[in-house]
């Protein structure tokens, strides 16, 4: 564990909620991730949760209540940060750009390309680090996410089927080329609208890719950002491509962690079942 | 509801997590409190949760995961702020003093006495406001709290047995005259050590008072602040005075919300049973 520094460790249900820091080669900076470790010596399945805009590795572990179910289902849950961090890392005063808004892509524009390589970080560097240092069954890895992180889980999951065997999302940004959340960031990270944008757009990816397992997506019907998510367009693409998908729409539910905490149990059980 | 302003309302499990603001006569300022409302038209029991130092009305509702159990047990849960707030309210740069550190007492010192009347707020003004505006069974009110708020729940509960029928606490400050957390604040709010201090000290109160129901207290054994809580001294006083008390000590558990979220289910069930 030479590269891993323990930042936090707290007993929670029948396990420990930890936060580690490490130097990331992909992002050329120190990065943090959270890991919930159920109390067992057995090799366990692992589930990645990609957070939404402005989050750090903290929001999910403080607000979702997931530890109760991770403890019960005996599944390790990893929560990466949403971008590179630190004084040496480029940032922006614009909303939804820079630190806290990595969009799980590899930037190719001058200002950003050195540090903003969250796609490589999530799909290569972090799983390798986790699998080397913790008691993970590497055949049983799943990925889920929320909003920007829901987009990330669909993108990273569909393009890395050998790593991630199950995918789910809460209120994901399904069309990152159209969404007001991602438009500016994509322009800055990848240049004016071009083919690169399709590499990180769930709608474009699922036109050409599918995964064997069903995908679970939960959507609140009182979601204040629903018009920027494009879920219906994504469903059309999945139907066309015979991608199995389970969409659940929830009356009154909004976009944030009160929505996530209500349904996180179902997501963990969903992944556990597919990974078993 | 003329005096109540709705600040937040989010569906969470089978109910709504709300935050209201209102003008407080006790504290001469606008105050916020949280309320979890299970989805029913029936009159429900109500449980107050008093938070610890530096908290607002937000920490408990974001981090404890209590809504799942409040929803299931059909109990309303109220989370007051920990002090008066606002630019017009005196504050301090010292730790554990001023805003975020009301200690659930009525101050009598010049700088503080106009606004710092959290004891009156918690034991009179807020229950009256809640009972008037929500569908509460006023015979079924309980109180619990954490750390400074655990102290508050023991103090406010024992001295207001007609209001609060059940008491529990997580890692409470049991001797507020001895604890490093409260010493400075008590001096500033109440003057140099004097008889007033005893009015807000669980150890002194339980020398002369007892409640009919058993009190539940959970304490983590890896609590970083354990030496400033004086739980053992409190247990001695309770034994002497025949106060029924259930103490549970938890290996590895620390002081914060990971500890609370693990055991909040038990507290809610404990109160529900006593209030039934």
């Amino acid at each position: 564990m030479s590269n891993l520094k323990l930042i936090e460790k707290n007993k929670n249900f029948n396990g420990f909620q930890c936060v580690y820091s490490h130097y990331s080669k992909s992002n050329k900076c120190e990065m943090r991730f959270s890991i919930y470790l159920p109390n067992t010596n057995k090799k366990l399945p692992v589930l990645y949760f990609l957070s939404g805009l402005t989050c750090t590795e903290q929001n999910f572990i403080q607000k979702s209540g997931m530890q109760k179910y991770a403890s019960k289902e005996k599944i390790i849950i990893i929560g990466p940060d949403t971008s590179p961090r630190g004084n040496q890392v480029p940032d922006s005063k614009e909303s939804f750009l820079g630190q806290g808004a990595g969009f799980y892509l590899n930037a190719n524009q001058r200002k950003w390309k050195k540090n903003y390589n969250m796609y490589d970080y999530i799909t290569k560097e972090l799983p390798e680090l986790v699998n080397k240092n913790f008691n993970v069954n590497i055949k049983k890895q799943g990925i889920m996410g929320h909003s920007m992180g829901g987009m990330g889980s669909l993108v990273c999951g569909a393009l890395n089927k050998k790593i991630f065997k199950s995918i789910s999302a809460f209120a994901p940004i399904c069309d990152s080329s159209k969404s007001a959340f991602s438009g500016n960031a994509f322009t800055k990270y990848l240049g004016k609208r071009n083919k690169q944008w399709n590499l990180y757009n769930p709608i474009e990816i699922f036109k050409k890719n599918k995964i064997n397992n069903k995908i679970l997506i939960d959507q609140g019907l009182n979601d204040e950002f629903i018009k920027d998510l494009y879920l219906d367009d994504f469903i059309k693409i999945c139907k066309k491509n015979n991608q199995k998908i389970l969409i659940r729409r929830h009356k009154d539910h909004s976009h944030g962690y009160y929505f996530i905490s209500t349904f996180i149990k179902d997501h963990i059980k969903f992944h556990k079942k597919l990974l078993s």
Side-chain angles (χ1 to χ4, degrees), chain A:
Chain A
M1 282 211 201
S2 55
N3 188 26
L4 283 182
K5 276 174 265 178
L6 182 66
I7 305 293
E8 291 179 11
K9 184 180 180 181
N10 286 287
K11 184 88 193 275
N12 196 199
F13 294 93
N14 194 20
F16 285 92
Q17 180 60 62
C18 301
V19 172
Y20 284 93
S21 163
H22 70 107
Y23 182 79
S24 162
K25 286 176 192 167
S26 312
N27 296 332
K28 308 279 187 302
C29 68
E30 200 70 16
M31 296 281 299
R32 289 187 176 193
F33 67 91
S34 68
I35 179 167
Y36 182 76
L37 292 164
N39 187 24
T40 172
N41 291 323
K42 287 183 190 164
K43 271 195 188 303
L44 296 185
V46 63
L47 189 46
Y48 288 78
F49 182 92
L50 306 186
S51 288
L53 285 161
T54 77
C55 288
T56 68
E57 85 291 346
Q58 287 291 327
N59 304 63
F60 178 62
I61 60 175
Q62 291 188 18
K63 297 181 175 180
S64 71
M66 62 85 172
Q67 295 89 349
K68 178 181 173 70
Y69 316 111
S71 163
K72 194 176 172 196
E73 300 290 337
K74 298 251 184 275
I75 187 162
I76 291 171
I77 301 192
I78 309 280
D81 199 350
T82 54
S83 77
R85 298 277 177 186
N87 294 332
Q88 310 306 316
V89 170
D91 200 4
S92 168
K93 284 180 181 166
E94 294 175 52
S95 296
F96 315 141
L97 182 67
Q99 296 188 29
F103 280 94
Y104 307 103
L105 54 71
N106 291 337
N108 63 16
Q109 299 297 292
R110 190 170 176 163
K111 178 178 175 181
W112 308 98
K113 69 180 181 183
K114 178 182 166 194
N115 300 103
Y116 283 73
N117 296 298
M118 287 298 289
Y119 180 81
D120 282 350
Y121 180 71
I122 297 297
T123 61
K124 293 193 189 96
E125 184 177 4
L126 186 58
E128 282 172 18
L129 186 77
V130 166
N131 296 343
K132 191 175 147 192
N133 286 284
F134 300 95
N135 208 9
V136 168
N137 184 336
I138 63 166
K139 289 178 185 164
K140 298 184 176 185
Q141 300 181 67
I143 192 162
M144 59 181 172
H146 171 230
S147 197
M148 172 182 77
M151 183 207 100
S153 72
L154 294 168
V155 168
C156 296
L159 298 180
N160 297 276
K161 290 186 273 188
K162 287 192 181 168
I163 301 172
F164 303 113
K165 303 293 185 341
S166 54
I167 303 176
S168 76
F170 294 88
I173 297 172
C174 293
D175 190 336
S176 37
S177 297
K178 280 189 185 163
S179 174
F181 288 116
S182 38
N184 184 44
F186 272 49
T187 304
K188 298 291 163 63
Y189 296 148
L190 301 170
K192 272 195 181 171
R193 190 176 298 266
N194 60 58
K195 279 186 186 170
Q196 289 281 317
W197 287 39
N198 293 346
L199 299 179
Y200 307 107
N201 187 345
I203 288 227
E204 295 300 328
I205 288 169
F206 277 85
K207 281 181 185 170
K208 297 172 192 163
N209 297 273
K210 55 191 284 192
I211 69 163
N212 287 333
N213 281 323
K214 191 183 282 182
I215 293 169
L216 169 63
I217 296 181
D218 276 328
Q219 177 61 54
L221 290 175
N222 196 30
D223 186 325
E224 54 274 41
F225 306 120
I226 201 163
K227 74 171 183 50
D228 275 307
L229 301 177
Y230 298 95
L231 179 59
D232 290 335
D233 292 353
F234 183 69
I235 294 170
K236 275 181 212 158
I237 296 298
C238 287
K239 281 195 176 155
K240 228 176 188 170
N241 200 17
N242 289 316
Q243 172 62 54
K244 284 178 284 181
I245 186 162
L246 172 58
I247 306 288
R248 309 192 308 175
R249 300 178 201 259
H250 303 283
K251 193 184 162 217
D252 291 333
H253 274 281
S254 46
H255 191 73
Y257 273 92
Y258 293 115
F259 164 56
I260 295 175
S261 69
T262 304
F263 300 108
I264 188 70
K265 176 185 180 181
D266 298 345
H267 283 246
I268 291 172
K269 292 183 86 157
F270 171 84
H271 285 273
K272 180 71 190 294
K273 196 176 168 189
L274 292 183
L275 297 174
S276 291

